[in-house]
Amino acid sequence: MTIDLHTHSSASDGTDSPAQLYAAAHAVGVDTVAITDHDTAAGWEAAVAALPAGMSLVRGAELSTHIVAEDRHYSIHLLAYLFDPTAPGIARELARLRSDRLERGMLIVDRMVAAGLPISREQVLDIAAGAPVGRPHIGRALMAAGLVESVTEAFAGYLSGRGPYYVAKSDTLLADGIELVRAAGGVPVVAHPRSRGARHLTDDAFFRRYADLGLGGIEVGHPDHDDADAAELAEIAARYGLIATGSSDYHGSNKPVLLGTRTTAADQLERLVAASAGAVPIVAGA
Ligand code: AMP
Ligand code: ZN
């Protein structure tokens, strides 16, 4: 079993449709994939319909959350696994986040248009094709305009959080996100805690505190983590009984990362399933 628990499809800011994402996973020998689109469960249905024989879908999503420390907001991403997307609390919050993403994406575009960049609201909405709008969609518009060669290049400049066009998006307080995922029967896992931003805050005391508040796991393996990060996070996970996952955070051609570059051990997936309210991965008949 080769398990990748964090991927984005075209239902959010990845470039592969759920069917293409499964074909890509099949091609590299990854057989169990979680689709964890930002703020939506919209990709699950197409994924189930397209599952190649013997492959499994772990239903997931990624929520943008924040913590307040040092009088500032720090962004922390929260993966939600095997939750019921129709549970009222989480359904309402995901809808709020999607509508905020739309407004905020359009504000970023307006700033770019005002500065004379040749992109438009309509073009970005076309690219997003109904998905919750994210900066990668704007990055693709910048590529189409010939201003950058890749979305990664756009993130280093036009889309940078420190650049002149940036508008913050609203998010959920981490503790509230954990509670909403649990209330929906799911398992909350902190995504890539050692990525830039809040990496200095995600120490032992941080995980002890959130484990007490219902956190279920830590994404230990991630392309943004070096070996020392992963080793330390694995120790912390063991200390507080948290599930340790590993994933690629694949975004198709929006990001230079391959499916299965980090993986999750089968026993950790079993723990994840056991910790959810009875939801199991969906497996296509062999
Ligand atoms: P946003 O959610 O709109 O603030 O955009 C940030 C998101 O873009 C991150 O959560 C990443 O998942 C995603 N992303 C996709 N491609 C890239 C890239 N090449 N560089 C940085 N972030 C990326
Ligand atoms: Zn992600």
Side-chain angles (χ1 to χ4, degrees), residues 6 8 13-14 38-39 62 64 77 101 104 108 133-136 138 150-153 155-156 166-167 169 192 196 249 251 253-256:
H6 182 167
H8 296 267
D13 60 4
H38 294 286
D39 307 324
E62 185 174 25
S64 302
H77 286 184
R101 274 181 170 279
R104 172 262 197 166
I108 295 177
V133 177
R135 281 182 283 166
I138 303 171
S150 67
V151 171
T152 300
E153 186 188 334
F155 266 95
Y166 183 71
V167 178
K169 61 180 188 287
H192 45 74
R196 274 185 311 117
D249 203 355
H251 280 76
S253 62
N254 274 345
K255 213 175 182 178

Side-chain angles (χ1 to χ4, degrees), residues 45-140:
E45 201 181 318
V48 173
L51 272 187
M55 292 189 72
S56 319
L57 167 72
V58 177
R59 285 153 292 164
E62 185 174 25
L63 279 73
S64 302
T65 66
H66 74 270
I67 55 172
V68 182
E70 303 155 355
D71 283 332
R72 287 190 38 183
H73 275 208
Y74 285 93
S75 171
I76 300 268
H77 286 184
L78 186 68
L79 293 158
Y81 292 108
L82 300 171
F83 64 98
D84 173 3
T86 66
I90 200 155
R92 201 178 314 118
E93 183 63 357
L94 293 179
R96 180 182 80 87
L97 295 172
R98 289 193 296 267
S99 101
D100 182 79
R101 274 181 170 279
L102 175 61
E103 244 172 72
R104 172 262 197 166
M106 295 301 98
L107 288 176
I108 295 177
V109 172
D110 290 350
R111 287 187 176 193
M112 291 179 168
V113 170
L117 303 189
I119 64 167
S120 70
R121 283 183 166 217
E122 293 68 31
Q123 183 191 9
V124 170
L125 291 174
D126 261 7
I127 292 168
V133 177
R135 281 182 283 166
H137 299 122
I138 303 171
R140 297 213 80 90

